[in-house]
Amino acid sequence: MKNMGDGRRVARVEKEIQATIAQFLIRGFKTPLPGLVTVASVRMPADLRAAKVYISVLGSDEQKEEAIELLQDRAFEIQNYIGKELKMRYCPKLTFFADHATDQVLKVERILHELAEERKASGTSEDEDTDGDADSDEN
């Protein structure tokens, strides 16, 4: 069985592909993308022939879908740019996906902030209750 590669090499190539795509979006992408688009991550198998590109879009759901569609339609141009910038035996075939991890992180942070606000609002009454309970237990 053939050794399919080193995990460190795959991680390094993923990082380079991510940076190159981001560079293309800044410099070479002619069509303006809706919302604020970020290349969140890139995942590749050990053979480095395909790449799942996860895109984070700050904006509405419609803007997210539109940005993903635009990028997928222009994937060939991005692949050509990667082929010119990076010296690789094979240029990976790109597939774009929405990054939901960022949305989940923001949702968790919002929930934690709401809980902190609730604790702060009810914190003064709880402190008084615990002090009162402690005094009554001692008597």
Side-chain angles (χ1 to χ4, degrees):
M1 181 164 182
K2 184 178 175 185
N3 184 3
M4 292 305 289
D6 183 11
R8 291 175 294 178
R9 180 171 183 252
V10 172
R12 195 174 75 233
V13 172
E14 288 173 346
K15 192 182 257 187
E16 287 295 321
I17 296 284
Q18 180 180 359
T20 305
I21 293 171
Q23 189 177 45
F24 178 80
L25 293 179
I26 293 169
R27 295 184 183 155
F29 206 74
K30 305 290 190 264
T31 309
L33 291 168
L36 181 63
V37 177
T38 305
V39 182
S41 65
V42 175
R43 296 288 171 244
M44 300 178 76
D47 66 2
L48 304 175
R49 291 187 183 221
K52 292 181 179 180
V53 182
Y54 292 92
I55 300 295
S56 176
V57 180
L58 192 60
S60 68
D61 290 337
E62 295 167 2
Q63 288 177 322
K64 290 177 187 180
E65 291 174 19
E66 185 180 344
I68 298 295
E69 287 176 23
L70 270 169
L71 289 169
Q72 193 60 54
D73 290 345
R74 309 289 291 277
F76 186 72
E77 288 178 42
I78 301 170
Q79 288 170 201
N80 285 339
Y81 183 77
I82 290 170
K84 290 175 188 171
E85 291 293 312
L86 302 179
K87 305 297 182 229
M88 295 175 61
R89 182 174 292 164
Y90 301 105
C91 182
K93 182 180 182 326
L94 303 177
T95 308
F96 292 90
F97 297 95
D99 178 47
H100 298 292
T102 305
D103 294 337
Q104 291 172 345
V105 168
L106 292 173
K107 183 178 179 181
V108 168
E109 285 182 1
R110 189 181 70 244
I111 291 170
L112 290 174
H113 180 72
E114 290 171 0
L115 286 172
E117 291 295 319
E118 286 178 17
R119 284 185 181 161
K120 189 184 286 185
S122 64
T124 56
S125 63
E126 285 181 13
D127 289 340
E128 292 171 1
D129 289 343
T130 56
D131 290 342
D133 291 342
D135 291 338
S136 63
D137 288 342
E138 291 176 8
N139 293 331

